[in-house]
Amino acid sequence: MVSAKTFIVTLAVLCALQCMLVMPYAAAEGDASADAGSIAREESASFDGLSPAERKLVEQSGEKFEFQAEVSRLMDIIINSLYSKKEIFLRELISNASDACDKIRFLALSDPKLTEEKPDFEIRIEANKEANTLSITDSGIGMSKKDLINNLGTIAKSGTSQFLEQAAKGDNLHLIGQFGVGFYSVYLVADKVTVTSKSPNEPQYIWESAADAAYSIAEDPRGATLGRGTRVTLHLKKDAAEYLEETTLRNLIKRYSEFINFPIFLHTTKEVDKEVPVEEEAAAKEAKPEEEKKEEDDETQPEVKEVEEEEAKKPKTKTIKEKVGEWERVNKNKAIWLRDSKEITKEEYNAFYQSLSKDSSDSAAHIHFSAEGQIDFKAILFIPKTAPKEMFDKMNSKLENIKLYVRRVFISDSFDDLVPRYLNFIVGVVDSEDLPLNVSREMLQQSRVLKVIKKKLISKALDMIKKMSDKEDKAVDKLEEEAGGEKKDKKKKEDEEKQEEEEEEAEEEEEEGAVKEEPKDTVKNYNTFLEQYAKSIKLGIVEDAKNRKKLAKFVRFRSTKTKDGESVSLQRYVDRMAVGQKHIYYITGDDHKELIKSPYLEKLLKRDYEVLVMTDPMDEYMMQHLDEFEDHTFVNVAKEDIKFGDKQEKAEKKRVEKKKEDLKSFIDWYKELLKDNVEKVVISNRLTDTPLAVVSGQYGYTAHMERLMKAQALADPSRYQFMSSKKTVEINPFHPLIVDLAARVEKDKEDEAVKGVAQTLFDAALVQGDFELVDKTRFTQSVVALLNDKLGLDASAKADVPELAEEEEEEKKEEEKSSDDSESSEEKKDEL
């Protein structure tokens, strides 16, 4: 009783101290000669209006009292408000049992006699459905009567914390408990708890309590049945019967305590086949009808009779199902992250990954590291070969792939901000020895700690992908060297630091015993990785500005120079840029074959400039956030005002400017004709074989982006309407069709035929540029008119469709004829 009150008093004092730190009051300073103004300022600065002298008098004359607490109410708060899940009780009890085993093992280093009688350290869990009890037994240090009073009878008294303070060499310990309230989680599922404990050189005691304000302690009349250790028996509530099921217990042990240092055994019941002798009377009854039948067959089957007589001499048995109890070890997996990575084989990593992710295949890559500094932790991260099916369906929900442990005890896998959502496919564990948790150990106390962990996890995850990307680059280089081709993609800048990093990585691979892959296999593996996770990396480019440049090196694209099945990285693109090329050119759309035929690429291809062809819908969003790479700006060739920045462009500009003066009246006429649909008509510097092209504004959406935005069922059109700017028409001033149209416009600007051709030419350019047609009916009619003209048909002629009246007249005649035929057949019947 007193101990519970002491806890409340301590808690209140701590709160009062914190308040005093947060709300400081002004101390009396100055001498007796201070003027009235300074005294007034001092009084106003005091938080309670007392002068310094009055405050001192109050403190000296104050009478001291202790806080009072209602223990039953306090227990109710701890039990029902501290933990969010009932199942946590098993984690807490196993953690306590693990601490007890750690303590006796530590003490046995200086006093081996403590473990002579019982050298094994283990935890055993047994459910008894008939008695409605669940027992957790450990072979740890046990508790004396004094320990039971201090540790179980005193709320918030942590025996683990006290032990660590007393142990001078406690650095080698991995004790878990620190708050002294974990034991009381048993009352989430139990009405009554019985604790039987035996410590060295002490009698065995029984502690009992029903979660009220009292508990009892008695010496066990059975003697030292445990030998050493503690047995916690829970008398379960009616609504906690599920914790008597083997499957439930096994799953909870694997979830929360799979990596505890000590073996955890679960008592299981299995059915086995067993041969048992049949009773003589039962055997006789069964044999009577058989004997009568045998007597009838004795004369005909003498040989069978002899065999049966021999078999009858053998004892008769039958097979029955028998339930057998046995102890099954549940935590078979080891916490391999605590070991040196050089000592762990690839097979061990894969086995651990499969147990962690429940995946049947091996991981695509892994990284094992330790972090030291503001927070120390060890971690292993894996990349699955196949992306989770729900990865993009649940982008805003938790996939629970990263599991957080503290001293190998599972804490949570439901953190909102442990890794960004573009890396939610990463599977792994994070384990810390000193992570600051709240009392229920279900969440971190400080967001700062989460930020440190998150930063490190992101860095290491990207390092893992970078290693795969670099290997693919080297493999491509090697394949090109073997092919004997010219190596245009040789890096212009190779610094010594990067070479050293590559050498270190090679050494690590040799130490880990990594199997060297063929270059083709390396390229294939990375392409397989991108098939699964390219969208995630591109999402990272959109959302993670800090790591945008690093992520940009991981993506691959097809281009106008890649073959089927090949792709190119941005770094390789830059390394093999044509002489004089200053920008990175790209085009977006749906089909690769159609895009490389686009009129937007005509002059680029003649210059031997490589153009990236992006067909993933995610590319449009990504390129809105990716402005440059290696000091080269990105240029979308489907937008206006494309620039090359080379010497040839200057010569072309002079020629275009001259032609622009000649076509000025035609350009004005064409702009007036299309005024409702285009913003401007300009002379193109990109077209060579196509008469005309429609492009987007420099800061507006491309045609492909417009279609993507409109395809979103729940999208608000008003949100992107301002980005859908009017189009720009670029005309090829040297194309015969444009030259002829310009000449016809000079003769007669009101010629309807010329207007029709110009309008149809614009509509065709819209189709080719993947824009939405302004008037589909008009375009269809104009195409039909052109076809009629091509075939020499009269465009004004109408289809020769029979009149409806003529068809009705013919149907009427046929009906009359059939009626006459039926009447004549009836007359013939009558005559007969």
Side-chain angles (χ1 to χ4, degrees):
M1 294 290 291
V2 176
S3 57
K5 294 179 181 178
T6 305
F7 162 68
I8 298 299
V9 172
T10 306
L11 186 63
V13 170
L14 291 173
C15 293
L17 288 173
Q18 186 177 6
C19 292
M20 292 173 68
L21 290 173
V22 175
M23 300 167 56
Y25 60 85
E29 292 182 357
D31 51 25
S33 60
D35 58 4
S38 64
I39 294 174
R41 284 194 297 273
E42 288 178 0
E43 290 182 350
S44 64
S46 179
F47 71 92
D48 53 6
L50 296 174
S51 67
E54 291 171 335
R55 161 54 70 190
K56 188 175 182 180
L57 183 62
V58 169
E59 290 176 352
Q60 291 175 350
S61 62
E63 188 177 355
K64 304 292 183 181
F65 294 92
E66 287 189 356
F67 286 99
Q68 301 297 314
E70 186 180 345
V71 178
S72 59
R73 177 58 180 158
L74 177 63
M75 288 290 291
D76 182 65
I77 292 172
I78 292 176
I79 294 166
N80 298 314
S81 303
L82 197 59
Y83 299 98
S84 60
K85 298 179 182 178
K86 288 184 177 181
E87 63 190 34
I88 294 297
F89 82 94
L90 190 59
R91 181 194 71 181
E92 296 296 330
L93 292 181
I94 293 175
S95 298
N96 291 343
S98 175
D99 282 351
C101 292
D102 256 325
K103 290 174 186 177
I104 189 66
R105 186 173 63 175
F106 176 76
L107 294 175
L109 295 175
S110 56
D111 188 3
K113 292 181 181 180
L114 293 174
T115 57
E116 281 182 354
E117 295 181 4
K118 201 171 184 180
D120 297 330
F121 305 106
E122 60 187 18
I123 303 167
R124 294 183 179 270
I125 300 173
E126 182 178 5
N128 188 334
K129 292 185 179 180
E130 295 179 0
N132 195 39
T133 60
L134 177 65
S135 300
I136 295 90
T137 307
D138 66 73
S139 57
I141 193 170
M143 288 179 282
S144 64
K145 183 177 181 180
K146 183 179 179 181
D147 294 332
L148 288 170
I149 295 172
N150 290 336
N151 298 337
L152 301 187
T154 305
I155 301 173
K157 174 72 172 180
S158 174
T160 296
S161 297
Q162 186 178 5
F163 184 84
L164 286 173
E165 291 171 4
Q166 294 174 354
K169 299 179 180 179
D171 293 341
N172 294 325
L173 291 175
H174 300 289
L175 304 182
I176 302 162
Q178 55 181 318
F179 298 105
V181 295
F183 169 77
Y184 304 102
S185 64
V186 296
Y187 293 111
L188 292 168
V189 296
D191 293 314
K192 180 182 177 182
V193 178
T194 301
V195 179
T196 306
S197 190
K198 171 68 174 71
S199 66
N201 306 320
E202 291 282 343
Q204 183 167 305
Y205 289 96
I206 297 177
W207 180 99
E208 283 190 340
S209 178
D212 51 18
Y215 61 88
S216 65
I217 299 178
E219 188 172 335
D220 194 337
R222 298 169 298 179
T225 56
L226 293 176
R228 186 192 72 242
T230 302
R231 178 183 179 90
V232 181
T233 302
L234 282 64
H235 304 268
L236 298 179
K237 299 176 182 178
K238 292 182 180 180
D239 61 350
E242 60 182 303
Y243 300 110
L244 295 173
E245 300 297 331
E246 293 176 10
T247 304
T248 303
L249 292 172
R250 185 182 292 105
N251 292 339
L252 289 179
I253 295 169
K254 286 187 174 181
R255 176 173 174 80
Y256 291 104
S257 308
E258 186 174 12
F259 302 106
I260 289 291
N261 276 343
F262 307 99
I264 302 174
F265 294 97
L266 176 65
H267 191 269
T268 59
T269 303
K270 295 183 179 179
E271 285 190 347
V272 296
D273 293 335
K274 185 177 181 180
E275 294 287 335
V276 296
V278 181
E279 296 181 3
E280 292 183 2
E281 293 182 2
K285 289 179 181 179
E286 293 176 1
K288 277 184 180 180
E290 294 179 3
E291 288 175 357
E292 292 174 358
K293 187 177 181 182
K294 287 177 182 177
E295 287 176 359
E296 295 176 0
D297 300 335
D298 280 346
E299 298 178 359
T300 56
Q301 298 179 348
E303 295 179 0
V304 175
K305 182 179 178 182
E306 292 176 2
V307 173
E308 290 180 351
E309 286 177 353
E310 291 178 1
E311 292 180 352
K313 294 178 183 178
K314 298 179 181 179
K316 293 196 173 184
T317 61
K318 64 179 180 179
T319 303
I320 63 170
K321 296 287 186 181
E322 185 179 26
K323 291 185 176 180
V324 178
E326 63 180 17
W327 291 99
E328 174 192 344
R329 181 170 180 176
V330 181
N331 61 334
K332 296 178 182 178
N333 292 315
K334 300 293 183 182
I336 66 172
W337 61 81
L338 300 177
R339 295 163 54 190
D340 190 339
S341 60
K342 297 176 183 178
E343 300 174 356
I344 307 173
T345 64
K346 187 176 181 181
E347 290 71 23
E348 287 180 302
Y349 276 119
N350 286 328
F352 178 73
Y353 162 73
Q354 291 173 2
S355 68
L356 191 68
S357 64
K358 306 300 183 282
D359 191 356
S360 58
S361 60
D362 297 338
S363 64
H366 73 270
I367 189 166
H368 185 175
F369 64 95
S370 299
E372 297 178 354
Q374 293 176 306
I375 185 74
D376 296 345
F377 65 89
K378 298 178 184 294
I380 302 180
L381 303 179
F382 297 92
I383 297 178
K385 282 186 177 178
T386 306
K389 294 181 180 179
E390 69 276 13
M391 184 170 67
F392 295 109
D393 296 335
K394 300 179 179 179
M395 285 301 291
N396 295 320
S397 61
K398 310 162 191 171
L399 284 186
E400 302 179 349
N401 286 337
I402 304 292
K403 300 184 183 297
L404 179 66
Y405 291 81
V406 173
R407 301 180 185 94
R408 295 159 308 286
V409 175
F410 176 73
I411 301 301
S412 179
D413 55 5
S414 301
F415 289 104
D416 293 320
D417 204 29
L418 200 56
V419 292
R421 64 175 185 164
Y422 73 89
L423 289 176
N424 63 0
F425 60 87
I426 297 290
V427 176
V429 295
V430 177
D431 186 18
S432 175
E433 296 290 331
D434 56 353
L435 207 59
L437 301 171
N438 69 346
V439 178
S440 66
R441 295 196 292 185
E442 292 177 329
M443 63 185 70
L444 291 174
Q445 285 183 330
Q446 303 173 23
S447 59
R448 178 186 62 82
V449 175
L450 268 181
K451 290 179 180 179
V452 173
I453 296 176
K454 178 180 179 180
K455 183 178 179 181
K456 192 69 175 179
L457 292 181
I458 294 174
S459 175
K460 290 298 181 180
L462 297 186
D463 286 347
M464 185 166 39
I465 301 174
K466 179 181 181 298
K467 188 175 180 181
M468 298 171 64
S469 176
D470 290 346
K471 283 178 67 178
E472 189 262 357
D473 278 335
K474 292 178 186 177
V476 173
D477 289 340
K478 192 170 183 180
L479 288 173
E480 289 186 355
E481 288 176 1
E482 291 174 355
E486 184 182 357
K487 196 173 178 184
K488 291 184 180 180
D489 59 333
K490 185 177 181 180
K491 294 182 179 180
K492 300 174 183 178
K493 297 179 181 179
E494 292 184 353
D495 53 343
E496 295 179 358
E497 293 180 358
K498 188 168 184 179
Q499 288 181 352
E500 290 176 2
E501 288 178 2
E502 292 174 355
E503 290 173 2
E504 289 176 2
E505 289 176 0
E507 289 176 2
E508 289 177 3
E509 289 181 1
E510 291 177 4
E511 291 173 356
E512 294 175 6
V515 180
K516 291 185 178 180
E517 296 177 339
E518 292 295 326
K520 289 183 180 179
D521 294 333
T522 302
V523 175
K524 182 180 178 182
N525 290 340
Y526 191 71
N527 288 340
T528 303
F529 163 78
L530 288 179
E531 287 175 5
Q532 300 294 323
Y533 303 111
K535 288 184 184 294
S536 295
I537 294 174
K538 293 170 184 176
L539 179 63
I541 293 174
V542 173
E543 296 184 342
D544 191 351
K546 187 179 293 184
N547 294 297
R548 187 167 290 157
K549 292 182 179 179
K550 187 181 292 186
L551 288 164
K553 295 181 179 181
F554 303 155
V555 290
R556 303 288 187 268
F557 306 100
R558 298 183 69 181
S559 75
T560 53
K561 291 189 176 181
T562 57
K563 300 176 183 178
D564 290 341
E566 292 182 355
S567 59
V568 60
S569 66
L570 293 178
Q571 184 63 60
R572 189 172 296 277
Y573 177 98
V574 170
D575 291 341
R576 67 188 191 191
M577 284 170 60
V579 178
Q581 183 178 347
K582 295 183 178 180
H583 307 292
I584 301 174
Y585 300 97
Y586 71 95
I587 186 171
T588 59
D590 294 324
D591 186 76
H592 176 266
K593 293 181 179 178
E594 290 296 324
L595 289 174
I596 59 177
K597 298 176 184 177
S598 172
Y600 304 143
L601 310 183
E602 290 177 355
K603 192 159 287 188
L604 290 163
L605 296 180
K606 286 199 172 184
R607 275 179 159 81
D608 196 31
Y609 285 0
E610 186 174 12
V611 181
L612 298 175
V613 181
M614 303 181 180
T615 55
D616 185 353
M618 192 67 198
D619 293 333
E620 280 282 3
Y621 298 95
M622 177 188 69
M623 295 311 297
Q624 292 179 23
H625 297 82
L626 200 60
D627 299 324
E628 62 177 21
F629 182 83
E630 297 291 337
D631 298 326
H632 297 281
T633 56
F634 287 94
V635 174
N636 190 333
V637 298
K639 292 191 174 185
E640 65 174 338
D641 196 25
I642 187 172
K643 295 178 180 178
F644 303 102
D646 53 11
K647 294 179 180 180
Q648 188 176 348
E649 186 178 34
K650 294 179 181 179
E652 290 173 348
K653 273 188 176 180
K654 292 180 180 179
R655 189 172 58 171
V656 168
E657 286 295 327
K658 183 179 178 182
K659 199 69 176 175
K660 186 177 181 180
E661 292 296 325
D662 298 339
L663 297 176
K664 188 177 184 306
S665 58
F666 172 72
I667 291 173
D668 294 339
W669 172 84
Y670 209 178
K671 184 178 180 180
E672 180 65 23
L673 179 68
L674 305 174
K675 61 181 178 181
D676 295 332
N677 304 314
V678 300
E679 186 177 11
K680 51 189 172 181
V681 178
V682 297
I683 300 294
S684 176
N685 66 333
R686 79 176 86 203
L687 300 176
T688 57
D689 303 323
T690 304
L692 179 147
V694 179
V695 296
S696 301
Q698 186 64 32
Y699 302 103
Y701 284 152
T702 61
H704 188 234
M705 189 63 183
E706 280 188 26
R707 289 194 300 107
L708 289 176
M709 296 298 288
K710 291 179 180 179
Q712 298 178 29
L714 301 178
D716 181 8
S718 62
R719 294 180 61 186
Y720 59 86
Q721 192 65 39
F722 70 97
M723 292 294 291
S724 181
S725 59
K726 289 186 177 182
K727 314 300 179 290
T728 296
V729 175
E730 292 189 359
I731 60 175
N732 183 357
F734 307 103
H735 196 279
L737 186 56
I738 296 298
V739 173
D740 185 69
L741 274 176
R744 291 174 181 270
V745 169
E746 284 292 329
K747 292 181 180 178
D748 185 3
K749 293 183 178 180
E750 301 301 325
D751 190 341
E752 293 297 326
V754 174
K755 289 183 179 179
V757 172
Q759 185 65 59
T760 303
L761 191 60
F762 170 71
D763 290 340
L766 285 176
V767 173
Q768 193 172 29
D770 220 8
F771 290 98
E772 188 175 347
L773 281 172
V774 179
D775 190 340
K776 296 178 182 179
T777 302
R778 181 188 64 200
F779 177 67
T780 303
Q781 291 173 347
S782 63
V783 171
V784 172
L786 289 173
L787 293 174
N788 285 332
D789 183 62
K790 183 72 174 177
L791 296 174
L793 300 175
D794 185 3
S796 61
K798 295 182 180 180
D800 188 11
V801 181
E803 293 292 335
L804 187 61
E806 295 178 3
E807 291 181 357
E808 289 177 351
E809 187 67 27
E810 290 180 0
E811 289 178 0
K812 188 176 181 181
K813 288 181 180 179
E814 289 179 0
E815 289 177 359
E816 290 176 353
K817 185 179 179 182
S818 61
S819 176
D820 293 341
D821 292 340
S822 61
E823 289 177 358
S824 60
S825 62
E826 289 293 332
E827 289 176 356
K828 290 180 180 179
K829 286 181 181 180
D830 293 340
E831 291 176 359
L832 291 173

